[in-house]
Amino acid sequence: MPSVDLTPFGFTATESRVYGALLELGPTTGYAVARATRLARANAYGALDGLVTRGAAAQAPGRPARYRPTDPDALLAELAARQGEALDHLSQALTRAGRSAEPETRAVKGLRALATLVLHVVARAERRVQGVLPAELVRQTLPAWRRAAERARLEVRVVGAPPPEAASLGFGSAEPLTSIVLLIDDRQTVAVADTEPPTYEALWSSHPALATLARALLERP
């Protein structure tokens, strides 16, 4: 049975376990899920109801009721959208409270952590996003790019073949050896130092000096 941890996104450990079972079993009954997960029927049905309520599963009409998991890519997109909205609200609240004058820098390691970072900062872009990204990172962060395109200008080049779903975003192409860097609203910089999977070591910074360097790098002929 696949090990799936949805708890960082508001699901319970039991719901995570049941979602993993649904991925393995496909459309099935609550009874079959209870047997596969060795949960009491009441607990299995409670977890299934929780998954349905949160959009991670769907219940088909009929008796006995059958449940199917939401497609993992669709679930990821939905969770990313929810987190983006929550971060928007938090950003607005922090802005009203006053922004710290001290710039900061943080290290990020791993493709998944880097994709999560890009999802968050790009989805909150207000004016412009400049950058060069590998195609696989674009593929994992598409919901954020669609959201950013609604209010910001995208000046992005992609190393490799971008997914067909990104065609409407107007991304250009970049040479394989081009530096991987993002500049969001001229104040947040994401620079990738090591692009060899699965390393992907990167830095996020709000330091003006790094933003200036990123701008010069991206705008050079």
Side-chain angles (χ1 to χ4, degrees), residues 185-211:
D185 290 336
D186 291 316
R187 62 181 182 82
Q188 293 188 76
T189 304
V190 178
V192 182
D194 187 345
T195 59
E196 288 299 320
T199 308
Y200 278 96
E201 293 184 352
L203 289 177
W204 168 90
S205 181
S206 60
H207 202 293
L210 284 181

Side-chain angles (χ1 to χ4, degrees), residues 164-187:
E165 298 87 347
S168 62
L169 298 173
F171 290 165
S173 60
E175 296 297 324
L177 296 179
T178 306
S179 300
I180 304 302
V181 63
L182 276 179
L183 181 60
I184 301 94
D185 290 336
D186 291 316
R187 62 181 182 82

Side-chain angles (χ1 to χ4, degrees), residues 9 58 60-61 64 78 82 117 119 126 129 135 139 151 156-158 165 169 171 173 176-177 183 186 200 202 211:
F9 306 98
E78 175 64 21
R82 290 182 197 172
L117 171 63
L119 277 166
E126 297 175 354
V129 182
R139 187 174 297 107
R151 58 178 182 265
V156 178
R157 291 175 290 150
V158 179
E165 298 87 347
L169 298 173
F171 290 165
S173 60
L177 296 179
L183 181 60
D186 291 316
Y200 278 96

Side-chain angles (χ1 to χ4, degrees), residues 55 75 88 93 98 105 129 144 173:
L75 180 59
D88 280 346
T105 300
V129 182
S173 60

Side-chain angles (χ1 to χ4, degrees), residues 34 43 54-56 59 72 79 105 119 127 131 133 145 150 166 173 183 185 196 207 221:
N43 292 340
R54 293 174 176 82
Q59 179 181 348
L79 293 176
T105 300
L119 277 166
R127 298 183 304 278
L133 289 177
W145 293 106
E150 295 175 0
S173 60
L183 181 60
D185 290 336
E196 288 299 320
H207 202 293

Side-chain angles (χ1 to χ4, degrees), residues 31 40 48 102 143 151 202:
Y31 175 74
L48 286 165
E102 293 295 325
R151 58 178 182 265

